[in-house]
Amino acid sequence: MTSIKEQAAISRLLSFLQDWDNAGKVARSHILDNFIKTNQGKTSPELEQEFSQGASLFLARLTTWLRLTYMTGSCLDKLLKSIGIFLSAVSSNRYLIEFLEVGGVLTLLEILGLEKIKEEDKKESIRLLQVIANSGRKYKELICESYGVRSIAEFLAKSKSEETQEEVQVLLDSLLHGNPKYQNQVYKGLIALLPCASPKAQQLSLQTLRTAQAIIGTTHPSIVECVLKVLGTMHLEVQYEAIELIKDLVNYDVCQALLKGLVELLIPSFKETSKLQPKIFNDSLVPQLTAHLPVFLQQAAAAKAIRVLARSNMNIAEKMLHLRVVHSLLAAMGNSDHSNSQRQASLTLEYFVQVFPVVEEHVRRSMGEDLYQLFLVSAPPRPQEPRPRHTRPPPRRPSPGTHLLHTPGLVAGCGRDRRGSGSSPPPGVLPVPSLRFRSAPRPPPSPDCPGGLRQAPLAPVLRAMPRTCT
């Protein structure tokens, strides 16, 4: 026998469900408003108490109405929020299973692909998928088995709301962790997103790819080509994320292919550059050049990425020298159609000249003495660094017992003078193409001494110096 209170509670539940069944769209919208207002954040036992142990009956009505009306979008946001109250409640595993048994995941994924549905409604669908994915590994596998990665990735590429795209990134990140069976599928889906037209989607995909790369530990063959194409973007935040991903990828087996691709981007193909030649004589100059701007943007970004990689790892810098990066940087500096390519290539070449003496010799011969001195003086300042001074630093007082010619500046000049005079290198110094680098950049020549340490009066002194000074 049930008590009077229990009978009254059952009567109220039956009355509520009858009102729902007989209500139209407007009345049901009011019922949902009251339900969301009074039950937000409640636990599963509290919901059962509210509905007299019959909360599943109301959830079944909500899921049924969702499946009948989701294509029209009628009260869809309120309906999804109401279902979310059940799924996100503490100890809600029972509600979650009931929702999945009626095809809830498929319904949510289909909502993402409908064009007539509002962006806000799709964001609520993404949040429900987050709740399902965070419930455990088997639920993540269920989403992936329902072709969820493809649907979610396509929605990320087409979404116009940055807030919604960030919610999608959270969902993809959740599908990456604790999902070994389908984490490669998520990884490939992120790579497929890189060529999309949405800059925000590219940025978020690159960020998530860094996490995926660390989890998976291996690379996909297509990632190099996709990342290099992203360097042609006009959005600096996307370019930054691409370079950060490149810094991670050089630690994997695609390092050589990645470095080779970066160097090749410094010299655009003849097929691309030849298209510009006949259009110079046309009137509509600006629109035609804009079509080829990504090639020059790639060139500038590649020069910047090479500089970042060379500064972070000396072994990578040496590998790039064997790929003829100096020749390619000199070619990029000659691109008069894009000033940023010239600037980035100049900064990168300046670094290689300062670090590798063999590069300094080749660049000096290629440019000629006058142009080389102008390059050293007019090289643009590096970002976030003080502008280099073009005056000789004040001499340091030698310590007692130390000869004046043993100062670092003269030691560096000694090595340069011996190489410039055509004499054989001293013992212990390997000839070209072996590489040596300095611990500090050579100071530029002073205005009052144009020839620097190569002046004729110092030649007898330099020839008489011991070999240890090199």
Side-chain angles (χ1 to χ4, degrees), residues 402-424:
T402 303
H403 197 278
L404 179 61
L405 293 179
H406 286 178
T407 57
L410 292 179
V411 170
C414 175
R416 289 195 298 274
D417 185 76
R418 289 194 175 191
R419 291 192 300 273
S421 62
S423 60
S424 59

PDB file of all heavy atoms in Angstrom, residues 402-424:
ATOM      1  N   THR A 402      98.400  39.979 -19.385  1.00  0.00           N
ATOM      2  CA  THR A 402      97.713  39.563 -20.609  1.00  0.00           C
ATOM      3  C   THR A 402      98.086  40.516 -21.720  1.00  0.00           C
ATOM      4  O   THR A 402      98.010  41.739 -21.554  1.00  0.00           O
ATOM      5  CB  THR A 402      96.200  39.568 -20.419  1.00  0.00           C
ATOM      6  OG1 THR A 402      95.893  38.714 -19.336  1.00  0.00           O
ATOM      7  CG2 THR A 402      95.500  39.065 -21.676  1.00  0.00           C
ATOM      8  N   HIS A 403      98.471  39.981 -22.870  1.00  0.00           N
ATOM      9  CA  HIS A 403      98.846  40.827 -23.987  1.00  0.00           C
ATOM     10  C   HIS A 403      97.614  41.468 -24.579  1.00  0.00           C
ATOM     11  O   HIS A 403      96.555  40.862 -24.644  1.00  0.00           O
ATOM     12  CB  HIS A 403      99.582  39.988 -25.049  1.00  0.00           C
ATOM     13  CG  HIS A 403     100.348  40.845 -26.033  1.00  0.00           C
ATOM     14  ND1 HIS A 403      99.760  41.446 -27.113  1.00  0.00           N
ATOM     15  CD2 HIS A 403     101.662  41.190 -26.051  1.00  0.00           C
ATOM     16  CE1 HIS A 403     100.677  42.121 -27.789  1.00  0.00           C
ATOM     17  NE2 HIS A 403     101.833  41.983 -27.186  1.00  0.00           N
ATOM     18  N   LEU A 404      97.750  42.665 -25.070  1.00  0.00           N
ATOM     19  CA  LEU A 404      96.606  43.404 -25.613  1.00  0.00           C
ATOM     20  C   LEU A 404      96.018  42.716 -26.825  1.00  0.00           C
ATOM     21  O   LEU A 404      94.822  42.761 -27.068  1.00  0.00           O
ATOM     22  CB  LEU A 404      97.039  44.820 -25.986  1.00  0.00           C
ATOM     23  CG  LEU A 404      95.961  45.736 -26.590  1.00  0.00           C
ATOM     24  CD1 LEU A 404      94.838  45.906 -25.570  1.00  0.00           C
ATOM     25  CD2 LEU A 404      96.540  47.080 -26.983  1.00  0.00           C
ATOM     26  N   LEU A 405      96.839  42.019 -27.621  1.00  0.00           N
ATOM     27  CA  LEU A 405      96.345  41.388 -28.841  1.00  0.00           C
ATOM     28  C   LEU A 405      95.550  40.129 -28.559  1.00  0.00           C
ATOM     29  O   LEU A 405      95.029  39.519 -29.477  1.00  0.00           O
ATOM     30  CB  LEU A 405      97.516  41.047 -29.766  1.00  0.00           C
ATOM     31  CG  LEU A 405      98.261  42.255 -30.352  1.00  0.00           C
ATOM     32  CD1 LEU A 405      99.407  41.776 -31.223  1.00  0.00           C
ATOM     33  CD2 LEU A 405      97.325  43.139 -31.141  1.00  0.00           C
ATOM     34  N   HIS A 406      95.460  39.707 -27.306  1.00  0.00           N
ATOM     35  CA  HIS A 406      94.686  38.511 -26.979  1.00  0.00           C
ATOM     36  C   HIS A 406      93.243  38.836 -26.635  1.00  0.00           C
ATOM     37  O   HIS A 406      92.538  38.004 -26.103  1.00  0.00           O
ATOM     38  CB  HIS A 406      95.336  37.781 -25.803  1.00  0.00           C
ATOM     39  CG  HIS A 406      96.589  37.076 -26.212  1.00  0.00           C
ATOM     40  ND1 HIS A 406      97.354  36.391 -25.319  1.00  0.00           N
ATOM     41  CD2 HIS A 406      97.214  36.971 -27.402  1.00  0.00           C
ATOM     42  CE1 HIS A 406      98.418  35.873 -25.939  1.00  0.00           C
ATOM     43  NE2 HIS A 406      98.343  36.223 -27.213  1.00  0.00           N
ATOM     44  N   THR A 407      92.794  40.052 -26.907  1.00  0.00           N
ATOM     45  CA  THR A 407      91.392  40.401 -26.656  1.00  0.00           C
ATOM     46  C   THR A 407      90.510  39.694 -27.661  1.00  0.00           C
ATOM     47  O   THR A 407      90.936  39.396 -28.774  1.00  0.00           O
ATOM     48  CB  THR A 407      91.194  41.914 -26.769  1.00  0.00           C
ATOM     49  OG1 THR A 407      91.611  42.332 -28.060  1.00  0.00           O
ATOM     50  CG2 THR A 407      91.971  42.651 -25.700  1.00  0.00           C
ATOM     51  N   PRO A 408      89.226  39.444 -27.297  1.00  0.00           N
ATOM     52  CA  PRO A 408      88.345  38.671 -28.208  1.00  0.00           C
ATOM     53  C   PRO A 408      88.184  39.302 -29.572  1.00  0.00           C
ATOM     54  O   PRO A 408      88.104  38.620 -30.579  1.00  0.00           O
ATOM     55  CB  PRO A 408      87.014  38.621 -27.445  1.00  0.00           C
ATOM     56  CG  PRO A 408      87.389  38.828 -26.029  1.00  0.00           C
ATOM     57  CD  PRO A 408      88.582  39.722 -26.030  1.00  0.00           C
ATOM     58  N   GLY A 409      88.109  40.649 -29.652  1.00  0.00           N
ATOM     59  CA  GLY A 409      87.900  41.282 -30.951  1.00  0.00           C
ATOM     60  C   GLY A 409      89.040  41.028 -31.899  1.00  0.00           C
ATOM     61  O   GLY A 409      88.858  40.714 -33.073  1.00  0.00           O
ATOM     62  N   LEU A 410      90.280  41.152 -31.391  1.00  0.00           N
ATOM     63  CA  LEU A 410      91.426  40.925 -32.255  1.00  0.00           C
ATOM     64  C   LEU A 410      91.608  39.459 -32.594  1.00  0.00           C
ATOM     65  O   LEU A 410      92.103  39.115 -33.654  1.00  0.00           O
ATOM     66  CB  LEU A 410      92.691  41.478 -31.585  1.00  0.00           C
ATOM     67  CG  LEU A 410      92.745  43.006 -31.464  1.00  0.00           C
ATOM     68  CD1 LEU A 410      94.029  43.429 -30.768  1.00  0.00           C
ATOM     69  CD2 LEU A 410      92.646  43.654 -32.823  1.00  0.00           C
ATOM     70  N   VAL A 411      91.213  38.610 -31.658  1.00  0.00           N
ATOM     71  CA  VAL A 411      91.284  37.179 -31.974  1.00  0.00           C
ATOM     72  C   VAL A 411      90.372  36.843 -33.131  1.00  0.00           C
ATOM     73  O   VAL A 411      90.735  36.134 -34.071  1.00  0.00           O
ATOM     74  CB  VAL A 411      90.905  36.343 -30.734  1.00  0.00           C
ATOM     75  CG1 VAL A 411      90.731  34.898 -31.114  1.00  0.00           C
ATOM     76  CG2 VAL A 411      92.008  36.477 -29.684  1.00  0.00           C
ATOM     77  N   ALA A 412      89.142  37.366 -33.100  1.00  0.00           N
ATOM     78  CA  ALA A 412      88.209  37.115 -34.209  1.00  0.00           C
ATOM     79  C   ALA A 412      88.748  37.720 -35.483  1.00  0.00           C
ATOM     80  O   ALA A 412      88.667  37.136 -36.561  1.00  0.00           O
ATOM     81  CB  ALA A 412      86.832  37.685 -33.870  1.00  0.00           C
ATOM     82  N   GLY A 413      89.316  38.946 -35.402  1.00  0.00           N
ATOM     83  CA  GLY A 413      89.862  39.575 -36.594  1.00  0.00           C
ATOM     84  C   GLY A 413      91.044  38.823 -37.147  1.00  0.00           C
ATOM     85  O   GLY A 413      91.274  38.795 -38.351  1.00  0.00           O
ATOM     86  N   CYS A 414      91.828  38.230 -36.255  1.00  0.00           N
ATOM     87  CA  CYS A 414      92.978  37.460 -36.704  1.00  0.00           C
ATOM     88  C   CYS A 414      92.558  36.318 -37.604  1.00  0.00           C
ATOM     89  O   CYS A 414      93.131  36.094 -38.655  1.00  0.00           O
ATOM     90  CB  CYS A 414      93.743  36.924 -35.488  1.00  0.00           C
ATOM     91  SG  CYS A 414      95.119  35.816 -35.906  1.00  0.00           S
ATOM     92  N   GLY A 415      91.521  35.602 -37.169  1.00  0.00           N
ATOM     93  CA  GLY A 415      91.032  34.487 -37.977  1.00  0.00           C
ATOM     94  C   GLY A 415      90.523  34.954 -39.314  1.00  0.00           C
ATOM     95  O   GLY A 415      90.753  34.341 -40.352  1.00  0.00           O
ATOM     96  N   ARG A 416      89.851  36.074 -39.330  1.00  0.00           N
ATOM     97  CA  ARG A 416      89.310  36.566 -40.595  1.00  0.00           C
ATOM     98  C   ARG A 416      90.426  37.032 -41.508  1.00  0.00           C
ATOM     99  O   ARG A 416      90.386  36.852 -42.724  1.00  0.00           O
ATOM    100  CB  ARG A 416      88.327  37.707 -40.321  1.00  0.00           C
ATOM    101  CG  ARG A 416      87.026  37.256 -39.683  1.00  0.00           C
ATOM    102  CD  ARG A 416      85.988  38.351 -39.771  1.00  0.00           C
ATOM    103  NE  ARG A 416      86.434  39.546 -39.045  1.00  0.00           N
ATOM    104  CZ  ARG A 416      86.248  39.738 -37.747  1.00  0.00           C
ATOM    105  NH1 ARG A 416      85.641  38.820 -37.032  1.00  0.00           N
ATOM    106  NH2 ARG A 416      86.647  40.845 -37.155  1.00  0.00           N
ATOM    107  N   ASP A 417      91.481  37.661 -40.946  1.00  0.00           N
ATOM    108  CA  ASP A 417      92.553  38.161 -41.779  1.00  0.00           C
ATOM    109  C   ASP A 417      93.323  37.019 -42.422  1.00  0.00           C
ATOM    110  O   ASP A 417      93.695  37.080 -43.576  1.00  0.00           O
ATOM    111  CB  ASP A 417      93.490  39.029 -40.937  1.00  0.00           C
ATOM    112  CG  ASP A 417      94.556  39.684 -41.804  1.00  0.00           C
ATOM    113  OD1 ASP A 417      94.204  40.660 -42.489  1.00  0.00           O
ATOM    114  OD2 ASP A 417      95.699  39.202 -41.789  1.00  0.00           O
ATOM    115  N   ARG A 418      93.530  35.940 -41.670  1.00  0.00           N
ATOM    116  CA  ARG A 418      94.271  34.816 -42.235  1.00  0.00           C
ATOM    117  C   ARG A 418      93.490  34.156 -43.352  1.00  0.00           C
ATOM    118  O   ARG A 418      94.049  33.753 -44.351  1.00  0.00           O
ATOM    119  CB  ARG A 418      94.595  33.802 -41.149  1.00  0.00           C
ATOM    120  CG  ARG A 418      95.653  34.311 -40.166  1.00  0.00           C
ATOM    121  CD  ARG A 418      96.183  33.192 -39.324  1.00  0.00           C
ATOM    122  NE  ARG A 418      97.265  33.651 -38.492  1.00  0.00           N
ATOM    123  CZ  ARG A 418      98.050  32.847 -37.811  1.00  0.00           C
ATOM    124  NH1 ARG A 418      97.836  31.544 -37.860  1.00  0.00           N
ATOM    125  NH2 ARG A 418      99.014  33.324 -37.058  1.00  0.00           N
ATOM    126  N   ARG A 419      92.209  34.022 -43.162  1.00  0.00           N
ATOM    127  CA  ARG A 419      91.408  33.423 -44.235  1.00  0.00           C
ATOM    128  C   ARG A 419      91.357  34.333 -45.434  1.00  0.00           C
ATOM    129  O   ARG A 419      91.331  33.897 -46.571  1.00  0.00           O
ATOM    130  CB  ARG A 419      89.997  33.117 -43.720  1.00  0.00           C
ATOM    131  CG  ARG A 419      89.946  31.998 -42.705  1.00  0.00           C
ATOM    132  CD  ARG A 419      88.498  31.568 -42.490  1.00  0.00           C
ATOM    133  NE  ARG A 419      87.681  32.670 -42.008  1.00  0.00           N
ATOM    134  CZ  ARG A 419      87.550  32.990 -40.728  1.00  0.00           C
ATOM    135  NH1 ARG A 419      88.202  32.291 -39.810  1.00  0.00           N
ATOM    136  NH2 ARG A 419      86.777  33.978 -40.351  1.00  0.00           N
ATOM    137  N   GLY A 420      91.239  35.655 -45.175  1.00  0.00           N
ATOM    138  CA  GLY A 420      91.159  36.581 -46.299  1.00  0.00           C
ATOM    139  C   GLY A 420      92.449  36.669 -47.070  1.00  0.00           C
ATOM    140  O   GLY A 420      92.452  36.991 -48.255  1.00  0.00           O
ATOM    141  N   SER A 421      93.607  36.462 -46.437  1.00  0.00           N
ATOM    142  CA  SER A 421      94.882  36.579 -47.116  1.00  0.00           C
ATOM    143  C   SER A 421      95.220  35.364 -47.958  1.00  0.00           C
ATOM    144  O   SER A 421      96.227  35.342 -48.651  1.00  0.00           O
ATOM    145  CB  SER A 421      95.991  36.796 -46.080  1.00  0.00           C
ATOM    146  OG  SER A 421      96.061  35.672 -45.214  1.00  0.00           O
ATOM    147  N   GLY A 422      94.403  34.326 -47.902  1.00  0.00           N
ATOM    148  CA  GLY A 422      94.616  33.160 -48.746  1.00  0.00           C
ATOM    149  C   GLY A 422      95.537  32.130 -48.159  1.00  0.00           C
ATOM    150  O   GLY A 422      95.868  31.148 -48.812  1.00  0.00           O
ATOM    151  N   SER A 423      95.977  32.291 -46.901  1.00  0.00           N
ATOM    152  CA  SER A 423      96.858  31.308 -46.272  1.00  0.00           C
ATOM    153  C   SER A 423      96.062  30.100 -45.843  1.00  0.00           C
ATOM    154  O   SER A 423      94.851  30.146 -45.710  1.00  0.00           O
ATOM    155  CB  SER A 423      97.555  31.941 -45.068  1.00  0.00           C
ATOM    156  OG  SER A 423      96.604  32.374 -44.139  1.00  0.00           O
ATOM    157  N   SER A 424      96.706  28.987 -45.634  1.00  0.00           N
ATOM    158  CA  SER A 424      96.042  27.754 -45.223  1.00  0.00           C
ATOM    159  C   SER A 424      95.530  27.901 -43.815  1.00  0.00           C
ATOM    160  O   SER A 424      96.116  28.619 -42.999  1.00  0.00           O
ATOM    161  CB  SER A 424      97.030  26.583 -45.295  1.00  0.00           C
ATOM    162  OG  SER A 424      98.134  26.834 -44.461  1.00  0.00           O
TER     163      SER A 424
END
